[in-house]
Amino acid sequence: MTTEDSTAHSTALLTLEGLTKAYPGVVANDDVSFAIQPGEVHALLGENGAGKSTLVKMIYGLVAPDAGRMIFKGAPYAPAEPRAARAAGVAMVFQHFSLFEALSVAENIALGMEHPPRMRDLAARIRDVSEAYGLPLDPFRVVGDLSAGERQRVEIIRCLLQNPQLLIMDEPTSVLTPQEVDILFKTLEKLKIEGTSILYISHKLEEIRRLCDAATVLRLGKKIATCNPQEETARAMAEMMVGTVLQVPERKAHDEGPVALSIRELSLPAPSEFGTALKDISLEVRKGEVLGIGGVAGNGQDELTAALSGEQLSPSGSVFIRNDDLSTAGPAQRRAAGLLVAPEERLGHAAAPAMSLIENALLTGRTREGLARSGLINWTKSGSFADAIIARFDVRTPSARVAARSLSGGNLQKFVIGREIMQRPDVLVVNQPTWGVDASAAAAIRQALLDLAAKGAAVVVISQDLDELMEICDRFCALNEGRLSAPVPAAGLTVEQIGLMLGGAHDMHEATA
Amino acid sequence: MDLSSINPVLLVASIMVASTPVLLAALGELVVEKSGVLNLGVEGMMITGAICGFAIAVNTGSPFLGFVAAAVGGAILSLIFGILTQSLLSNQVATGLALTLFGLGFSALVGQSYVGIRPPATARLDIPVLSDLPVVGGMFFNHDIMVYVSLALVIAVWAVLKFTRVGLILRAVGENHDAAHALGYKVVRVRLCAIMFGGACAGLGGAYLSLIRVPQWTEGMTAGAGWIALAIVVFGSWRAPRVLLGAYLFGGVTVLQLNLQAAGLAIPVEYLSMSPYLITIAVLVVMSASKGRVRAAAPACLGRIFHAST
C-alpha cells in the first residue's frame, strides 16, 4: 500500500504537506510530506540528525514549521503549543523522559492533564488503565525510584489517559529488555485495534518490521521514501536510512589471554535508598575477551560500574587488575593501573555538559596521556588529544572547543568511548555504550570495542541491549537484583534464552497474565 | 546567676514573638525556592518591609495599613529581582545579594526622619476563654494577630503545596523546568508569582520587627534575620512544618540568651549574643552531614536559569 495516492489522503488521520523547518546553519526538515492512516503504526526512520525530532516537535506543537501545512482529521492543524496538540488528540512519549523525579507517578500524570480528577480517583484510573494495557504501575511511587522501563510506562499511561487518536513514540524501546519490548508491543497492538494511530520513531529495524504497517525514511532532513516494512529487509531499510552500505561489526579470532580483571566475592551495600546492593559478585575477564553483562536497568548496573571505576571503593581483596589489589584505590589510581570506565550517563557523568571537548578529554586523560604536569595543564597536548579522538572516531563537531552538551547523543557517545579507547586501556568497562545512539554510530562503537579486544584488552560491556551483547560478546552473564550469574559462552545463545536468565522478566509476564 | 528571675510564661510568649519575623520570611523563601528560584535578597526585602510598614503606620496611625504597605513594599522589591532573573536571565545569587545591599541602603535613606518615633501600638488579640486560661493563656493566647497569621500561613503553605494543583505546578516548575515547559506550563509566570509572594512575606516579617517586636525604626534593624530565614529553609528541608520548628528553635535560643544575660550568667555577653547563629550553623552542618537527605529534598532546578529554547 502506498500512502501517496489521493484517496489515502482523504481518509488519513494526519497528512503532512511540504513541512520545512530551518535552524541557523541547518535545514532540519526539507519539504517532508507523508500521511498516517487511522489505526496504523507508522514508523519514522532515520539517523540522528535526520530531522525526526524536529518533525515530531512540529506535530506536537513545540516547534512551528517555516513552511508547509498539516491536516488532522480533515481540518487544517497548526498547534501553537503542546496543550493545543493534546486537546486535538495528539499525545507524545518523549525519548528523554519529561518526568519530575521528586514527584509521585500520580502527580506526574496529573501534570500532563488539563483537568485532572482528584488524586484518589486519578490513582484508581491509573491502576485501571495500567492493568488494562498490561503496564503495571503503582501510582504512589516516586518517579525517581523507578527503572527506565517503568518511567516509560508513566509517560505512556499519561498519554493513554487522554485517549489520543495519534500517539507519537520517540525511541520507545531503546532502554527496554526483550520482555519489556514484548509487553510494550502488546500494548501498542491493542491500541491499534482500538483505532489509535501510532507514529513510531526508531532505528531498530527488526522491531519496525515486526510492528509497523508503514515506514517513512528521513535522511538529512529530506524524505527518502515511504515503504511497507514487512516487504523490505532490515538491511535495505538501513541502507535507505544511512545512504550507504552498512557494515556489520566483525569479530576477529583471538587467543585466550591471561586474566586481566577479576572481582572476588564483592558485596557492597546499596549506596542510597534507591540503589541496589551488590551481592557476592565474582568474575574474571581475560585479555582479548569481551564479557557482556545483561540485565534490566536498576539491577545493579550503575553500582557495579561505580565499584569498578573506583567511585565506590570496595573492601580490600575484591577488585584486582592482573594481580594488583585495587579495591581501595580511587579512580585516578585505577586509571593509572589501566582500568578505564565509561559510565552510562553521557551528559553529567561521562562528560561535563558545559565544558569543551578538550576539557572533557583532559578530565579522564590527564594521567595516562600526561596532559598535566606538576599541576599545570598542557593545553596544546590536551587539544591534540581531543582532536585525535574526534578524527579517529568520526565525531561530527565543528571543533573540539564546543561544549559537550551541544553534540548529538551519538557523537558525544563516540567521543566518550573513544576517549577511553585512545588511552590504550588494559581493561575497559562500558555501561550502555550505544543507548540512544543511531545505527551507524552504534556499529562504529561496537567495532571499536571489538578492535580494542583484538589488540589484547579485556572489555566488559554492561548493556540492556541484548542484540548488541550477542553481536560482540564472547561470554555473557546476567545481573539480577545485584547478583551476577555465572558466565556462559555467548555463541549459540538465543535472545529468548538470555531473556530467561534475567530475573524480573518473570514478574512482568505474570503481571500481564 | 539567678534562674528564678526567668518567668516561663513570659519566656514562651516572647519566644513566639521573637520567632515570628523569621518564620514569615522563611515561609516566603520556602515558596520561592520550591519554584526553583534562589532569592538571597530576603534581608533586603525584610528591611524594606520594615521601613515601609513603619512609615505608613506612623503616617496613617493604622498598624494594619502598615502591614499591608510592608507586604506591598517587599513584593515590589522582589519584583525587581524577578524581572532581572526571570526575564533578563541575570545570575540569581549575584542579583539576590545586590537586592539585599539595595534594600539596606534604600531603607536607611527613607527611614532617616523616622528614627526615634514610636509606632502606633498593634492591638493584642483577645480570644474569649482561651486568653484567660492560667499559664497556657499567657503563653499562647495573648498575642497580636500577626503571630496567628504566621501560624496560619504555615498550614496554608503546607496544604497548598501538598494538596492543590497550584502547589503541584509550583513544585513541578522547581523540579524540572524544561519538562514543565514541555507540558505547556508558564515557568516564568509561576516563578514571578512565587517571588512576589516571597517578597510580601519577607516584608511582613520586617514590619513585625519594626511595628511590634522592637517597636522602633533603626537603621539595619533586621540584623541578619533574613539570612537566618534562608538558613532555616534549608534546615527545614523545604517543608513548612519543619520551617516552623526551625524558626521557633532560633527564636527560642535568641530569647533564652537574652534571659540568661538578664539573669547574670557568668560568660561574656558576646558569646550569648552569637549563640543563636552558632547553633543555627551547627544544626545546618548536622543536617547536611546526613548524606543525601538535604540534596534529595532540595528542588532540582534550584538556582538554575530557565531559558525556553524549544
Side-chain angles (χ1 to χ4, degrees), chain A residues 57 60 62 81-83 86 98-103 107 110-114 116 119 158, chain B residues 161-162 165 168-169 171-173 175-177 179-186 296 310:
Chain A
K57 277 181 181 168
Y60 194 57
L62 278 164
E81 53 172 1
R83 209 178 284 251
R86 288 200 295 268
S98 62
L99 294 175
F100 305 93
E101 296 213 347
L103 307 184
E107 286 174 329
L111 281 165
M113 302 171 81
E114 303 307 325
M119 260 322 159
R158 174 153 85 184
Chain B
L161 284 176
K162 194 169 168 75
R165 181 148 179 90
L168 178 59
I169 292 170
R171 284 187 286 143
V173 165
E175 195 54 43
N176 185 345
H177 50 215
H181 175 71
L183 287 171
Y185 292 104
K186 309 282 182 219
T310 48

mmCIF file of all heavy atoms in Angstrom, chain A residues 57 60 62 81-83 86 98-103 107 110-114 116 119 158, chain B residues 161-162 165 168-169 171-173 175-177 179-186 296 310:
data_model
loop_
_atom_site.group_PDB
_atom_site.id
_atom_site.type_symbol
_atom_site.label_atom_id
_atom_site.label_comp_id
_atom_site.label_asym_id
_atom_site.label_seq_id
_atom_site.Cartn_x
_atom_site.Cartn_y
_atom_site.Cartn_z
ATOM 1 N N LYS A 57 8.275 17.322 16.777
ATOM 2 C CA LYS A 57 8.038 18.517 17.588
ATOM 3 C C LYS A 57 7.042 19.445 16.892
ATOM 4 O O LYS A 57 6.252 20.117 17.551
ATOM 5 C CB LYS A 57 9.347 19.264 17.843
ATOM 6 C CG LYS A 57 10.146 18.688 18.999
ATOM 7 C CD LYS A 57 11.415 19.473 19.205
ATOM 8 C CE LYS A 57 12.231 18.894 20.349
ATOM 9 N NZ LYS A 57 13.586 19.471 20.369
ATOM 10 N N TYR A 60 3.680 18.020 17.458
ATOM 11 C CA TYR A 60 3.263 18.146 18.857
ATOM 12 C C TYR A 60 3.176 19.614 19.312
ATOM 13 O O TYR A 60 2.896 19.893 20.470
ATOM 14 C CB TYR A 60 4.237 17.369 19.745
ATOM 15 C CG TYR A 60 3.729 17.140 21.150
ATOM 16 C CD1 TYR A 60 2.513 16.496 21.373
ATOM 17 C CD2 TYR A 60 4.446 17.574 22.251
ATOM 18 C CE1 TYR A 60 2.041 16.292 22.649
ATOM 19 C CE2 TYR A 60 3.984 17.369 23.539
ATOM 20 C CZ TYR A 60 2.778 16.729 23.734
ATOM 21 O OH TYR A 60 2.307 16.531 25.007
ATOM 22 N N LEU A 62 5.528 21.910 19.582
ATOM 23 C CA LEU A 62 6.661 22.511 20.290
ATOM 24 C C LEU A 62 7.466 23.430 19.375
ATOM 25 O O LEU A 62 8.177 24.311 19.834
ATOM 26 C CB LEU A 62 7.583 21.413 20.841
ATOM 27 C CG LEU A 62 7.162 20.786 22.170
ATOM 28 C CD1 LEU A 62 7.897 19.487 22.419
ATOM 29 C CD2 LEU A 62 7.388 21.744 23.327
ATOM 30 N N GLU A 81 0.916 25.258 20.701
ATOM 31 C CA GLU A 81 1.624 24.746 21.874
ATOM 32 C C GLU A 81 1.155 23.316 22.143
ATOM 33 O O GLU A 81 0.130 22.893 21.615
ATOM 34 C CB GLU A 81 1.374 25.642 23.087
ATOM 35 C CG GLU A 81 -0.098 25.882 23.353
ATOM 36 C CD GLU A 81 -0.342 26.602 24.672
ATOM 37 O OE1 GLU A 81 0.620 26.930 25.357
ATOM 38 O OE2 GLU A 81 -1.512 26.789 25.002
ATOM 39 N N PRO A 82 1.923 22.569 22.950
ATOM 40 C CA PRO A 82 1.567 21.174 23.209
ATOM 41 C C PRO A 82 0.137 21.009 23.721
ATOM 42 O O PRO A 82 -0.547 20.044 23.392
ATOM 43 C CB PRO A 82 2.577 20.743 24.268
ATOM 44 C CG PRO A 82 3.745 21.619 24.059
ATOM 45 C CD PRO A 82 3.204 22.922 23.583
ATOM 46 N N ARG A 83 -0.304 21.980 24.507
ATOM 47 C CA ARG A 83 -1.653 21.916 25.043
ATOM 48 C C ARG A 83 -2.688 21.784 23.910
ATOM 49 O O ARG A 83 -3.624 21.002 23.989
ATOM 50 C CB ARG A 83 -1.921 23.200 25.821
ATOM 51 C CG ARG A 83 -2.867 23.104 26.949
ATOM 52 C CD ARG A 83 -2.948 24.466 27.613
ATOM 53 N NE ARG A 83 -1.763 24.728 28.420
ATOM 54 C CZ ARG A 83 -1.787 24.746 29.759
ATOM 55 N NH1 ARG A 83 -2.905 24.548 30.392
ATOM 56 N NH2 ARG A 83 -0.693 24.993 30.432
ATOM 57 N N ARG A 86 -2.492 18.354 22.404
ATOM 58 C CA ARG A 86 -3.148 17.358 23.254
ATOM 59 C C ARG A 86 -4.657 17.468 23.145
ATOM 60 O O ARG A 86 -5.365 16.470 23.074
ATOM 61 C CB ARG A 86 -2.715 17.537 24.714
ATOM 62 C CG ARG A 86 -1.288 17.106 24.984
ATOM 63 C CD ARG A 86 -1.076 16.843 26.465
ATOM 64 N NE ARG A 86 -1.225 18.036 27.280
ATOM 65 C CZ ARG A 86 -0.227 18.847 27.626
ATOM 66 N NH1 ARG A 86 0.993 18.580 27.220
ATOM 67 N NH2 ARG A 86 -0.448 19.893 28.362
ATOM 68 N N SER A 98 10.262 13.225 30.072
ATOM 69 C CA SER A 98 9.982 14.544 30.621
ATOM 70 C C SER A 98 9.230 14.374 31.930
ATOM 71 O O SER A 98 8.101 14.784 32.053
ATOM 72 C CB SER A 98 9.171 15.355 29.627
ATOM 73 O OG SER A 98 7.938 14.718 29.389
ATOM 74 N N LEU A 99 9.891 13.721 32.879
ATOM 75 C CA LEU A 99 9.227 13.434 34.147
ATOM 76 C C LEU A 99 9.858 14.242 35.275
ATOM 77 O O LEU A 99 10.972 14.716 35.168
ATOM 78 C CB LEU A 99 9.335 11.945 34.468
ATOM 79 C CG LEU A 99 8.586 11.021 33.514
ATOM 80 C CD1 LEU A 99 8.870 9.576 33.866
ATOM 81 C CD2 LEU A 99 7.107 11.281 33.550
ATOM 82 N N PHE A 100 9.108 14.358 36.366
ATOM 83 C CA PHE A 100 9.566 15.070 37.547
ATOM 84 C C PHE A 100 9.966 14.024 38.573
ATOM 85 O O PHE A 100 9.119 13.340 39.127
ATOM 86 C CB PHE A 100 8.458 15.977 38.070
ATOM 87 C CG PHE A 100 7.945 16.925 37.038
ATOM 88 C CD1 PHE A 100 6.843 16.600 36.261
ATOM 89 C CD2 PHE A 100 8.581 18.131 36.810
ATOM 90 C CE1 PHE A 100 6.388 17.459 35.290
ATOM 91 C CE2 PHE A 100 8.127 19.000 35.836
ATOM 92 C CZ PHE A 100 7.031 18.661 35.075
ATOM 93 N N GLU A 101 11.262 13.911 38.823
ATOM 94 C CA GLU A 101 11.761 12.795 39.619
ATOM 95 C C GLU A 101 11.274 12.811 41.053
ATOM 96 O O GLU A 101 11.068 11.763 41.650
ATOM 97 C CB GLU A 101 13.292 12.798 39.609
ATOM 98 C CG GLU A 101 13.850 12.577 38.233
ATOM 99 C CD GLU A 101 15.146 11.808 38.261
ATOM 100 O OE1 GLU A 101 15.714 11.664 39.349
ATOM 101 O OE2 GLU A 101 15.569 11.363 37.186
ATOM 102 N N ALA A 102 11.121 13.989 41.629
ATOM 103 C CA ALA A 102 10.773 14.051 43.048
ATOM 104 C C ALA A 102 9.271 13.876 43.279
ATOM 105 O O ALA A 102 8.828 13.788 44.413
ATOM 106 C CB ALA A 102 11.237 15.371 43.649
ATOM 107 N N LEU A 103 8.508 13.831 42.206
ATOM 108 C CA LEU A 103 7.056 13.719 42.369
ATOM 109 C C LEU A 103 6.612 12.268 42.150
ATOM 110 O O LEU A 103 7.331 11.477 41.541
ATOM 111 C CB LEU A 103 6.337 14.638 41.371
ATOM 112 C CG LEU A 103 6.759 16.105 41.377
ATOM 113 C CD1 LEU A 103 5.888 16.899 40.411
ATOM 114 C CD2 LEU A 103 6.664 16.715 42.755
ATOM 115 N N GLU A 107 1.182 12.246 40.537
ATOM 116 C CA GLU A 107 1.387 13.697 40.369
ATOM 117 C C GLU A 107 1.941 14.005 38.988
ATOM 118 O O GLU A 107 1.550 14.979 38.348
ATOM 119 C CB GLU A 107 2.340 14.217 41.455
ATOM 120 C CG GLU A 107 1.702 14.306 42.821
ATOM 121 C CD GLU A 107 2.684 14.686 43.916
ATOM 122 O OE1 GLU A 107 3.881 14.343 43.818
ATOM 123 O OE2 GLU A 107 2.249 15.324 44.879
ATOM 124 N N ALA A 110 -0.913 13.749 36.637
ATOM 125 C CA ALA A 110 -1.839 14.874 36.791
ATOM 126 C C ALA A 110 -1.306 16.118 36.068
ATOM 127 O O ALA A 110 -2.068 16.886 35.492
ATOM 128 C CB ALA A 110 -2.052 15.181 38.273
ATOM 129 N N LEU A 111 0.010 16.295 36.091
ATOM 130 C CA LEU A 111 0.590 17.475 35.446
ATOM 131 C C LEU A 111 0.411 17.447 33.936
ATOM 132 O O LEU A 111 0.441 18.484 33.289
ATOM 133 C CB LEU A 111 2.076 17.574 35.790
ATOM 134 C CG LEU A 111 2.367 18.145 37.172
ATOM 135 C CD1 LEU A 111 3.791 17.879 37.584
ATOM 136 C CD2 LEU A 111 2.079 19.638 37.204
ATOM 137 N N GLY A 112 0.247 16.253 33.370
ATOM 138 C CA GLY A 112 0.068 16.158 31.927
ATOM 139 C C GLY A 112 -1.382 16.261 31.503
ATOM 140 O O GLY A 112 -1.696 16.091 30.328
ATOM 141 N N MET A 113 -2.284 16.499 32.440
ATOM 142 C CA MET A 113 -3.707 16.549 32.098
ATOM 143 C C MET A 113 -4.242 17.959 32.281
ATOM 144 O O MET A 113 -3.778 18.702 33.135
ATOM 145 C CB MET A 113 -4.497 15.590 32.996
ATOM 146 C CG MET A 113 -4.017 14.162 32.904
ATOM 147 S SD MET A 113 -4.783 13.122 34.150
ATOM 148 C CE MET A 113 -6.353 12.789 33.363
ATOM 149 N N GLU A 114 -5.244 18.301 31.456
ATOM 150 C CA GLU A 114 -5.815 19.650 31.559
ATOM 151 C C GLU A 114 -6.705 19.768 32.797
ATOM 152 O O GLU A 114 -6.652 20.747 33.517
ATOM 153 C CB GLU A 114 -6.632 19.987 30.308
ATOM 154 C CG GLU A 114 -5.865 19.882 29.006
ATOM 155 C CD GLU A 114 -4.573 20.676 29.003
ATOM 156 O OE1 GLU A 114 -4.538 21.745 29.613
ATOM 157 O OE2 GLU A 114 -3.594 20.196 28.408
ATOM 158 N N PRO A 116 -7.305 17.376 35.710
ATOM 159 C CA PRO A 116 -7.145 16.098 36.400
ATOM 160 C C PRO A 116 -8.224 15.898 37.464
ATOM 161 O O PRO A 116 -8.658 16.874 38.088
ATOM 162 C CB PRO A 116 -5.770 16.224 37.044
ATOM 163 C CG PRO A 116 -5.543 17.685 37.171
ATOM 164 C CD PRO A 116 -6.287 18.342 36.073
ATOM 165 N N MET A 119 -6.895 13.264 43.341
ATOM 166 C CA MET A 119 -5.793 12.313 43.381
ATOM 167 C C MET A 119 -6.267 10.870 43.545
ATOM 168 O O MET A 119 -5.749 9.969 42.905
ATOM 169 C CB MET A 119 -4.838 12.642 44.540
ATOM 170 C CG MET A 119 -3.602 13.397 44.131
ATOM 171 S SD MET A 119 -2.864 12.934 42.572
ATOM 172 C CE MET A 119 -1.940 14.393 42.223
ATOM 173 N N ARG A 158 0.346 8.353 30.952
ATOM 174 C CA ARG A 158 -0.022 9.779 30.912
ATOM 175 C C ARG A 158 -0.684 10.097 29.564
ATOM 176 O O ARG A 158 -1.676 10.815 29.505
ATOM 177 C CB ARG A 158 1.238 10.623 31.111
ATOM 178 C CG ARG A 158 1.033 12.097 30.960
ATOM 179 C CD ARG A 158 2.045 12.878 31.762
ATOM 180 N NE ARG A 158 3.286 13.068 31.040
ATOM 181 C CZ ARG A 158 4.369 13.658 31.579
ATOM 182 N NH1 ARG A 158 4.353 14.074 32.817
ATOM 183 N NH2 ARG A 158 5.460 13.808 30.875
ATOM 184 N N LEU B 161 0.945 23.382 48.992
ATOM 185 C CA LEU B 161 1.988 22.628 48.311
ATOM 186 C C LEU B 161 1.626 21.153 48.208
ATOM 187 O O LEU B 161 1.919 20.491 47.226
ATOM 188 C CB LEU B 161 3.323 22.780 49.039
ATOM 189 C CG LEU B 161 4.032 24.117 48.840
ATOM 190 C CD1 LEU B 161 5.289 24.183 49.679
ATOM 191 C CD2 LEU B 161 4.376 24.343 47.375
ATOM 192 N N LYS B 162 0.963 20.637 49.224
ATOM 193 C CA LYS B 162 0.721 19.196 49.250
ATOM 194 C C LYS B 162 -0.555 18.789 48.516
ATOM 195 O O LYS B 162 -0.580 17.768 47.853
ATOM 196 C CB LYS B 162 0.644 18.720 50.702
ATOM 197 C CG LYS B 162 0.726 17.197 50.849
ATOM 198 C CD LYS B 162 0.922 16.815 52.300
ATOM 199 C CE LYS B 162 0.721 15.339 52.512
ATOM 200 N NZ LYS B 162 1.819 14.503 52.051
ATOM 201 N N ARG B 165 -3.549 21.820 43.060
ATOM 202 C CA ARG B 165 -2.939 21.801 41.731
ATOM 203 C C ARG B 165 -1.921 22.926 41.582
ATOM 204 O O ARG B 165 -0.867 22.732 40.983
ATOM 205 C CB ARG B 165 -4.044 21.937 40.682
ATOM 206 C CG ARG B 165 -3.516 21.911 39.260
ATOM 207 C CD ARG B 165 -4.523 21.272 38.332
ATOM 208 N NE ARG B 165 -4.009 21.273 36.959
ATOM 209 C CZ ARG B 165 -3.290 20.296 36.447
ATOM 210 N NH1 ARG B 165 -2.965 19.258 37.184
ATOM 211 N NH2 ARG B 165 -2.883 20.344 35.202
ATOM 212 N N LEU B 168 1.146 21.763 43.103
ATOM 213 C CA LEU B 168 1.779 20.730 42.281
ATOM 214 C C LEU B 168 2.539 21.367 41.115
ATOM 215 O O LEU B 168 3.679 20.991 40.817
ATOM 216 C CB LEU B 168 0.707 19.760 41.765
ATOM 217 C CG LEU B 168 1.187 18.633 40.850
ATOM 218 C CD1 LEU B 168 2.223 17.781 41.548
ATOM 219 C CD2 LEU B 168 0.011 17.775 40.401
ATOM 220 N N ILE B 169 1.905 22.346 40.478
ATOM 221 C CA ILE B 169 2.570 23.021 39.353
ATOM 222 C C ILE B 169 3.803 23.762 39.841
ATOM 223 O O ILE B 169 4.867 23.702 39.227
ATOM 224 C CB ILE B 169 1.574 23.992 38.650
ATOM 225 C CG1 ILE B 169 0.482 23.183 37.964
ATOM 226 C CG2 ILE B 169 2.294 24.880 37.647
ATOM 227 C CD1 ILE B 169 -0.669 24.007 37.446
ATOM 228 N N ARG B 171 5.697 23.001 42.404
ATOM 229 C CA ARG B 171 6.757 22.028 42.679
ATOM 230 C C ARG B 171 7.335 21.492 41.377
ATOM 231 O O ARG B 171 8.536 21.272 41.256
ATOM 232 C CB ARG B 171 6.203 20.866 43.516
ATOM 233 C CG ARG B 171 6.000 21.228 44.977
ATOM 234 C CD ARG B 171 5.612 20.005 45.773
ATOM 235 N NE ARG B 171 4.244 19.598 45.510
ATOM 236 C CZ ARG B 171 3.836 18.350 45.451
ATOM 237 N NH1 ARG B 171 4.697 17.367 45.606
ATOM 238 N NH2 ARG B 171 2.573 18.064 45.223
ATOM 239 N N ALA B 172 6.451 21.268 40.390
ATOM 240 C CA ALA B 172 6.911 20.726 39.112
ATOM 241 C C ALA B 172 7.878 21.699 38.441
ATOM 242 O O ALA B 172 8.911 21.302 37.909
ATOM 243 C CB ALA B 172 5.708 20.460 38.206
ATOM 244 N N VAL B 173 7.539 22.984 38.494
ATOM 245 C CA VAL B 173 8.404 24.002 37.886
ATOM 246 C C VAL B 173 9.768 24.021 38.581
ATOM 247 O O VAL B 173 10.811 24.139 37.947
ATOM 248 C CB VAL B 173 7.718 25.386 37.959
ATOM 249 C CG1 VAL B 173 8.696 26.496 37.679
ATOM 250 C CG2 VAL B 173 6.562 25.435 36.967
ATOM 251 N N GLU B 175 11.125 21.532 40.091
ATOM 252 C CA GLU B 175 11.786 20.235 39.983
ATOM 253 C C GLU B 175 12.433 20.052 38.615
ATOM 254 O O GLU B 175 13.546 19.551 38.505
ATOM 255 C CB GLU B 175 10.727 19.141 40.224
ATOM 256 C CG GLU B 175 11.279 17.785 40.500
ATOM 257 C CD GLU B 175 12.262 17.798 41.651
ATOM 258 O OE1 GLU B 175 12.004 18.453 42.686
ATOM 259 O OE2 GLU B 175 13.311 17.172 41.497
ATOM 260 N N ASN B 176 11.732 20.431 37.562
ATOM 261 C CA ASN B 176 12.246 20.222 36.210
ATOM 262 C C ASN B 176 11.583 21.253 35.301
ATOM 263 O O ASN B 176 10.512 21.015 34.754
ATOM 264 C CB ASN B 176 11.910 18.786 35.768
ATOM 265 C CG ASN B 176 12.510 18.428 34.428
ATOM 266 O OD1 ASN B 176 12.942 19.307 33.688
ATOM 267 N ND2 ASN B 176 12.536 17.151 34.121
ATOM 268 N N HIS B 177 12.229 22.407 35.154
ATOM 269 C CA HIS B 177 11.542 23.481 34.414
ATOM 270 C C HIS B 177 11.401 23.153 32.928
ATOM 271 O O HIS B 177 10.441 23.572 32.294
ATOM 272 C CB HIS B 177 12.183 24.850 34.654
ATOM 273 C CG HIS B 177 13.664 24.916 34.482
ATOM 274 N ND1 HIS B 177 14.447 25.713 35.250
ATOM 275 C CD2 HIS B 177 14.496 24.273 33.640
ATOM 276 C CE1 HIS B 177 15.712 25.579 34.890
ATOM 277 N NE2 HIS B 177 15.768 24.709 33.918
ATOM 278 N N ALA B 179 10.833 20.150 31.607
ATOM 279 C CA ALA B 179 9.680 19.263 31.446
ATOM 280 C C ALA B 179 8.378 20.033 31.656
ATOM 281 O O ALA B 179 7.404 19.829 30.929
ATOM 282 C CB ALA B 179 9.773 18.095 32.426
ATOM 283 N N ALA B 180 8.373 20.923 32.644
ATOM 284 C CA ALA B 180 7.163 21.714 32.887
ATOM 285 C C ALA B 180 6.846 22.560 31.663
ATOM 286 O O ALA B 180 5.694 22.676 31.242
ATOM 287 C CB ALA B 180 7.350 22.606 34.116
ATOM 288 N N HIS B 181 7.880 23.111 31.065
ATOM 289 C CA HIS B 181 7.683 23.920 29.861
ATOM 290 C C HIS B 181 7.162 23.054 28.719
ATOM 291 O O HIS B 181 6.248 23.451 27.987
ATOM 292 C CB HIS B 181 9.005 24.577 29.479
ATOM 293 C CG HIS B 181 8.951 25.339 28.188
ATOM 294 N ND1 HIS B 181 8.267 26.518 28.069
ATOM 295 C CD2 HIS B 181 9.474 25.071 26.975
ATOM 296 C CE1 HIS B 181 8.370 26.955 26.830
ATOM 297 N NE2 HIS B 181 9.102 26.096 26.137
ATOM 298 N N ALA B 182 7.731 21.853 28.582
ATOM 299 C CA ALA B 182 7.299 20.959 27.508
ATOM 300 C C ALA B 182 5.832 20.589 27.664
ATOM 301 O O ALA B 182 5.141 20.339 26.685
ATOM 302 C CB ALA B 182 8.170 19.704 27.479
ATOM 303 N N LEU B 183 5.360 20.546 28.903
ATOM 304 C CA LEU B 183 3.947 20.224 29.131
ATOM 305 C C LEU B 183 3.074 21.456 28.964
ATOM 306 O O LEU B 183 1.859 21.372 29.063
ATOM 307 C CB LEU B 183 3.751 19.658 30.538
ATOM 308 C CG LEU B 183 4.261 18.239 30.737
ATOM 309 C CD1 LEU B 183 4.204 17.864 32.208
ATOM 310 C CD2 LEU B 183 3.454 17.253 29.922
ATOM 311 N N GLY B 184 3.680 22.599 28.739
ATOM 312 C CA GLY B 184 2.901 23.805 28.463
ATOM 313 C C GLY B 184 2.655 24.694 29.667
ATOM 314 O O GLY B 184 1.784 25.546 29.627
ATOM 315 N N TYR B 185 3.416 24.513 30.756
ATOM 316 C CA TYR B 185 3.235 25.401 31.901
ATOM 317 C C TYR B 185 4.104 26.642 31.741
ATOM 318 O O TYR B 185 5.189 26.583 31.172
ATOM 319 C CB TYR B 185 3.555 24.673 33.207
ATOM 320 C CG TYR B 185 2.551 23.596 33.496
ATOM 321 C CD1 TYR B 185 2.862 22.262 33.294
ATOM 322 C CD2 TYR B 185 1.269 23.940 33.902
ATOM 323 C CE1 TYR B 185 1.912 21.275 33.511
ATOM 324 C CE2 TYR B 185 0.316 22.959 34.121
ATOM 325 C CZ TYR B 185 0.646 21.630 33.923
ATOM 326 O OH TYR B 185 -0.301 20.667 34.128
ATOM 327 N N LYS B 186 3.609 27.773 32.270
ATOM 328 C CA LYS B 186 4.321 29.047 32.131
ATOM 329 C C LYS B 186 5.333 29.168 33.270
ATOM 330 O O LYS B 186 5.005 29.668 34.345
ATOM 331 C CB LYS B 186 3.335 30.216 32.184
ATOM 332 C CG LYS B 186 2.161 30.072 31.239
ATOM 333 C CD LYS B 186 2.577 30.420 29.817
ATOM 334 C CE LYS B 186 1.393 30.322 28.893
ATOM 335 N NZ LYS B 186 1.753 29.750 27.587
ATOM 336 N N ALA B 296 18.405 15.488 48.370
ATOM 337 C CA ALA B 296 17.188 14.880 47.834
ATOM 338 C C ALA B 296 15.987 15.799 48.032
ATOM 339 O O ALA B 296 15.065 15.792 47.233
ATOM 340 C CB ALA B 296 16.948 13.533 48.498
ATOM 341 N N THR B 310 13.148 25.688 23.088
ATOM 342 C CA THR B 310 12.363 24.960 22.076
ATOM 343 C C THR B 310 10.883 25.256 22.242
ATOM 344 O O THR B 310 10.412 25.374 23.342
ATOM 345 C CB THR B 310 12.552 23.443 22.177
ATOM 346 O OG1 THR B 310 12.398 23.060 23.530
ATOM 347 C CG2 THR B 310 13.902 23.047 21.658
#
